[in-house]
Amino acid sequence: MIRRELKQYILENIFPEYEKNDSGHGINHILYVIRRGFSFAETVLDINQEMVYVTCCYHDVGYHIDRKNHEKVSADILRQDQRIKDS
């Protein structure tokens, strides 16, 4: 179960960033990744559902900043997000 507050934060602060990406790395792609992530998570005992959700939501957020290195940029954005750290 994903806390409502976490979903709201992602919806208001992270999802809008995907509007800056091309359609292949936009919000529809992220929603697909979230579905696939949860599908995979069902096969793992005691997996942290919120961690799955957060990593899926952030995984391409830095694409518009640096397409070639967007995985690292996205990871850096997640690591620097104090609100996520505090939740």
Side-chain angles (χ1 to χ4, degrees), residues 1-43:
M1 169 75 78
I2 310 302
R3 288 173 289 135
R4 183 175 46 89
E5 297 83 13
L6 177 58
K7 283 184 178 181
Q8 192 67 32
Y9 175 73
I10 297 289
L11 178 69
E12 293 174 359
N13 297 282
I14 304 307
F15 284 175
E17 291 297 306
Y18 284 98
E19 295 174 13
K20 300 174 184 175
N21 292 350
D22 65 33
S23 62
H25 293 85
I27 193 64
N28 288 332
H29 170 66
I30 296 311
L31 297 175
Y32 169 77
V33 169
I34 293 167
R35 286 191 304 274
R36 295 282 295 158
F38 281 126
S39 178
F40 170 75
E42 291 176 1
T43 69

Side-chain angles (χ1 to χ4, degrees), residues 24-72:
H25 293 85
I27 193 64
N28 288 332
H29 170 66
I30 296 311
L31 297 175
Y32 169 77
V33 169
I34 293 167
R35 286 191 304 274
R36 295 282 295 158
F38 281 126
S39 178
F40 170 75
E42 291 176 1
T43 69
V44 179
L45 286 176
D46 298 323
I47 195 165
N48 182 322
Q49 297 285 324
E50 287 191 345
M51 184 66 71
V52 171
Y53 180 69
V54 167
T55 55
C56 288
C57 290
Y58 277 77
H59 97 275
D60 277 342
V61 73
Y63 188 82
H64 69 279
I65 297 169
D66 184 347
R67 291 178 183 193
K68 184 176 179 184
N69 299 301
H70 72 276
E71 296 90 351
K72 181 182 179 332

